[in-house]
Structures are given as structure tokens and as C-alpha cells.
Amino acid sequence: MVAPNSPFPLPTQPIDRWLRPVARFLHIQATSGIVLLLCTMVALVAANSPWAEQYLHFWHTDVVLQFGNATFHHDLHHVINDGLMAIFFFVIGLEVKRELVHGSLSNLKQSSLPIAAAIGGMIVPAAIYLSLQFGQPGMNGWGIPMATDIAFVVGCLAVLGPRVPHSLRILLLSLAIVDDIGAILVIAIGYTESLDGRYLLLAAFAVGIVHFISQIGVRRFPPYVLLGAAAWICLHESGIHATLIGVILGLMTPAKPTLVPERFRDYLHEKEREFDQRTWHQRSHRAEVVKEVQQLTRETVSPLEYLETTLHPWTAYVIMPLFALANAGVKIEPAYLADSVAISVVLGLVVGKPLGIVLFSWVVVRTGIAQLPHRINWPILISGSFLAGIGFTMALFIDGLAFGAEGLDTAKTGVLFGSAISAVIGIALLVWTLPPSPSSPSSDEADDSKSAQQRMVIHQSTQQIEVRLN
């Protein structure tokens, strides 16, 4: 489907009339957060309905793949959390690589504030949780309140519209990306109990082959997919959580194109005669020419950009919603909210996150290492820091690592309530602290503008009178 304003529109097909509204919906930045929220509500309603047992049992449906004597036998919940989420982590790896090479984390002065804020937003929540759970059975969940959910943060910012400064969006998204890096390290270091060195070496060998074929210029995706799958299996058997292979491969993805647009333009000029109507119909091996043009067209963007654009809709609208449906279904019990684990998670998200972000930000700004971005003052930063307490996806993921595949219902309850409270407080404070939208000035600004116009008219009239008198 081609955009309506494209200078070279393709013939409109009947299906385009159905796909255009879907495409417009998917291109709205906040829709992934909306879909994720809807799936969370569906999971909660189903888990607290008369059909709760059937709903929860569905995610334990066996998935079996067998090739000779090799058998892959796990339930659907495991396939989503360990298999599909590897693609989610791959996209996170791509986003981190993009920010490190081209984005807000590529410059140390520019990245010092979000890095410091993210570190504070991880250390303080974990410290609060551990201070309440040290020596208790729930101590292993210290990593749960450390992460920030990008999709929900973007959705909350979209609710406020153009009032949100662009610099605040960049700061919170950069903070969330650094948060993801921290969560990845937490998963790799804090939640790996035993290691099988043989499989770990095989995984490293597969990653080494990926690096080798990338260096010699292999551009087709199938070899990388097969090697990535082999590395996933080896890491899965080694004892390290298999999703981390997605991050490793994402960080290894080249961030520069191999063909500059000018060279591609020259190539098209050379091929211009071949696509003349008469010449084209008489030409043999036309499919090879089409494949060549397709390949060179793809080479004008980096593999990182191409894969991120291609996979992001799948992670945002398929994988993350499936994860929410499979993991957010918790039976709401009043006793869960009074449980110490739930209270620790809520305090970590609602209190620890903003406290750590603001405290570490103040230190780096005070020492001159960083400075507040344009249009952001301390009240706005404090308000926005509460949104970082929305820790849905990664928090539920770490809950499953800390307390078994199913996680702990009390911890899930704490994640859901803590994230909801953080979202409400953050939006309310931003509504209060942010200046009015430039497109809709406040009444005070309108009155000032009107007064200024009146003064201008009076001044012009006075000048005319003086001219006539002279």
C-alpha cells in the first residue's frame, strides 16, 4: 500500500480500503500502550471471572516440536516468555544500539543526565525493596521494581498532547532505554543460578559465527535466523535466560548502510532505459533485475533500521500483548495488597523510582556534569519521574524469573497497582506543572495579547494625530 500523496501511486486494490485505517492506527505512537492496556484488562477480567480456571489452564497447553530424537516440549506460557520475548529483547538491543550510535546516548554530555537518572531509578527502588524484604522469602524479587515500561510511558505522554516538551519525551525514553540495559544485566547476573559451560561455549561459538559472516558481508537474513535460533537453544540449556541472546544479536546488528543514496540514484539513472516500456517487455530475466533493485533498495538503509522498523509492529502489537495476556492474569484478592511483597513492590515503583531519578539527577546537575534540558525545570522533572514508576512488562518478566515460571501473585498485584498509581500521579503532576499548550493559550495569555493589541492601536492613533497637528 502506497501513501495517498506518493508521486508514484500504485493501482488501488480493494483490500487497501480496509488496510488504510489499520495503518493509520498503527502509526499513532500511543496505540501500542493502548493495546497493551486492553490486553492487561482482558487478562485481569478473565482471571477474576467464572472461567478463570479455563483461562489460566489455556496458557499451559503443550507445544511440541520433534525432529528425530530431538524434542522441544514446553507449554505455551514458556514459549511466549522464553521464545517470543527473545524477539522483544532483540528489538530492545536494536534500540539500544541505535541510541548509542546515533541517538541521545551517543554524546556523553547529552547522555549523562538520563544515565544518572536511570541508575538512581534502579538502585533506590531495589534498596527500598531489599530493606523491607531482607531475610524474607520474597527477597529474591529485588529486581522487580527496577524497570520502566516504554510503551506505557509513551501512552501517558500522548494523553497530555503537545503540552509535553520534546526534551522531556527524549529524557524519559532515553532513561527507559538505559533502564532496559540495567534490567538485562540484572537478569544475566542476578537471576542466573547455575551454568553449563558446554552449552555456554556453543552459544558463544554461534555468536562468533554470526560476527564472522557479518564481517565477510553476508546480507541475507536466513543464515542469521538459523544461527540465532541455535544460539538461543544453547543459551537456554546453559542456564542463562535465553532471551538475552536477542539483546546480544541486536547490539551486533550493523548500524550503517552499505550503499549511500547518491550511488543508488546513479544506479537508477543507469537502469532508466531498461525500464522503458518497449525495452522492458522485450528484456529477458526480468525477475533478476527486480531482485537486484530490491536488494540495492534495502542496502540504502542500515540492517538495524530495517529490522527495527520491520519487527517493532510485531513486538508492539503481537508479542507484548500476548505476554500481557499470559502473565497479567492474577486473581485480585484484598489480602494480596496487604502482603509485604506487594507493599515492597508498590513502594519501590511509586516512591523509589522518582526519588532515585530526582536525587541522582540533582547530583549530576549540581556538580556540573549535566544540565537540565531546554524547557525542563525541577517541578517538571519530578512530575515526569513518577511515570518511570510504570514497570509493567519487564517487572512481570523479572517476577517470573524470581519466583518461578508462574511468578508470585502478590508481586504481580504490586506491579499492577504500583504502575497504575505511578501513572495517575505522574499525569496529574504534569497537568499541574506543564505550561499551557502553545496551540491553545491560556486566558491570561489571551488577555495579555489583547491588551498588547489595544496598546498598539492607541500608539498608532496617537502617531496619526501628531502628524496631522504638525
Side-chain angles (χ1 to χ4, degrees), residues 1-4 9-24:
M1 185 174 66
V2 177
L10 294 175
T12 303
Q13 303 296 332
I15 195 173
D16 291 338
R17 287 177 292 181
W18 303 336
L19 292 180
R20 281 197 188 100
V22 176
R24 284 195 295 267

Side-chain angles (χ1 to χ4, degrees), residues 72-376:
F72 177 89
H73 184 188
H74 290 285
D75 61 16
L76 185 58
H77 184 273
H78 183 86
V79 171
I80 293 171
N81 283 28
D82 284 51
L84 293 183
M85 286 298 284
I87 302 175
F88 168 77
F89 275 87
F90 177 69
V91 175
I92 286 180
L94 294 175
E95 292 174 349
V96 171
K97 177 72 172 284
R98 169 173 48 82
E99 292 299 319
L100 290 172
V101 176
H102 303 299
S104 57
L105 302 179
S106 60
N107 183 294
L108 182 60
K109 186 176 181 180
Q110 185 180 359
S111 63
S112 56
L113 181 60
I115 289 175
I119 292 173
M122 291 184 287
I123 292 176
V124 176
I128 289 177
Y129 185 96
L130 281 174
S131 67
L132 297 173
Q133 291 295 314
F134 190 78
Q136 302 297 319
M139 187 177 70
N140 203 35
W142 56 271
I144 295 174
M146 294 178 66
T148 297
D149 194 290
I150 294 179
F152 277 127
V153 170
V154 170
C156 290
L157 293 176
V159 170
L160 299 168
R163 292 184 62 185
V164 180
H166 180 68
S167 53
L168 180 61
R169 296 178 190 272
I170 296 298
L171 174 62
L172 289 178
L173 293 179
S174 302
L175 183 154
I177 288 174
V178 178
D179 242 340
D180 286 336
I181 299 174
I184 291 161
L185 294 175
V186 166
I187 293 169
I189 299 171
Y191 293 102
T192 298
E193 297 180 355
S194 60
L195 285 175
D196 187 325
R198 296 170 302 171
Y199 282 105
L200 192 59
L201 286 174
L202 288 174
F205 180 69
V207 170
I209 296 177
V210 168
H211 177 71
F212 173 74
I213 65 174
S214 174
Q215 291 299 306
I216 63 175
V218 176
R219 307 296 289 177
R220 300 290 182 181
F221 290 130
Y224 294 99
V225 173
L226 292 175
L227 287 168
W232 180 91
I233 293 172
C234 293
L235 205 64
H236 183 275
E237 298 301 320
S238 73
I240 298 178
H241 204 274
T243 52
L244 293 179
I245 198 65
V247 180
I248 296 170
L249 295 178
L251 292 172
M252 292 175 62
T253 304
K256 294 182 179 180
T258 57
L259 184 66
V260 295
E262 290 77 11
R263 292 290 302 276
F264 183 62
R265 180 196 60 199
D266 296 339
Y267 167 81
L268 290 179
H269 283 318
E270 292 179 5
K271 293 290 181 179
E272 186 175 1
R273 291 183 180 180
E274 291 190 21
F275 285 95
D276 180 81
Q277 186 172 4
R278 293 181 181 177
T279 307
W280 181 249
H281 285 298
Q282 296 174 357
R283 197 188 193 290
S284 59
H285 306 295
R286 288 179 294 180
E288 294 180 1
V289 177
V290 172
K291 288 182 179 179
E292 182 180 330
V293 174
Q294 288 176 333
Q295 181 180 356
L296 290 177
T297 303
R298 184 176 295 179
E299 295 298 330
T300 58
V301 297
S302 66
L304 186 150
E305 182 180 353
Y306 177 82
L307 287 170
E308 187 178 6
T309 304
T310 303
L311 293 177
H312 187 271
W314 288 99
T315 58
Y317 299 105
V318 178
I319 295 174
M320 290 176 65
L322 277 174
F323 176 83
L325 290 170
N327 291 271
V330 55
K331 192 171 181 63
I332 303 298
E333 298 283 355
Y336 288 169
L337 288 174
D339 185 85
S340 62
V341 172
I343 293 173
S344 301
V345 172
V346 171
L347 290 177
L349 292 173
V350 178
V351 178
K353 268 292 184 181
L355 180 61
I357 290 170
V358 174
L359 179 61
F360 277 59
S361 297
W362 181 84
V363 170
V364 294
V365 171
R366 186 72 174 176
T367 55
I369 298 174
Q371 59 183 6
L372 290 179
H374 177 61
R375 294 183 63 194
I376 295 181

Side-chain angles (χ1 to χ4, degrees), residues 324-445:
L325 290 170
N327 291 271
V330 55
K331 192 171 181 63
I332 303 298
E333 298 283 355
Y336 288 169
L337 288 174
D339 185 85
S340 62
V341 172
I343 293 173
S344 301
V345 172
V346 171
L347 290 177
L349 292 173
V350 178
V351 178
K353 268 292 184 181
L355 180 61
I357 290 170
V358 174
L359 179 61
F360 277 59
S361 297
W362 181 84
V363 170
V364 294
V365 171
R366 186 72 174 176
T367 55
I369 298 174
Q371 59 183 6
L372 290 179
H374 177 61
R375 294 183 63 194
I376 295 181
N377 53 31
W378 287 110
I380 292 177
L381 179 61
I382 293 171
S383 304
S385 66
F386 278 92
L387 292 182
I390 306 174
F392 181 79
T393 306
M394 199 67 77
L396 291 179
F397 188 82
I398 295 177
D399 169 54
L401 298 179
F403 300 115
E406 298 300 317
L408 197 64
D409 283 347
T410 53
K412 289 182 180 180
T413 303
V415 170
L416 295 174
F417 276 87
S419 298
I421 294 170
S422 297
V424 171
I425 294 176
I427 291 176
L429 288 177
L430 284 173
V431 169
W432 182 43
T433 57
L434 286 175
S437 172
S439 60
S440 56
S442 65
S443 57
D444 292 338
E445 291 177 339

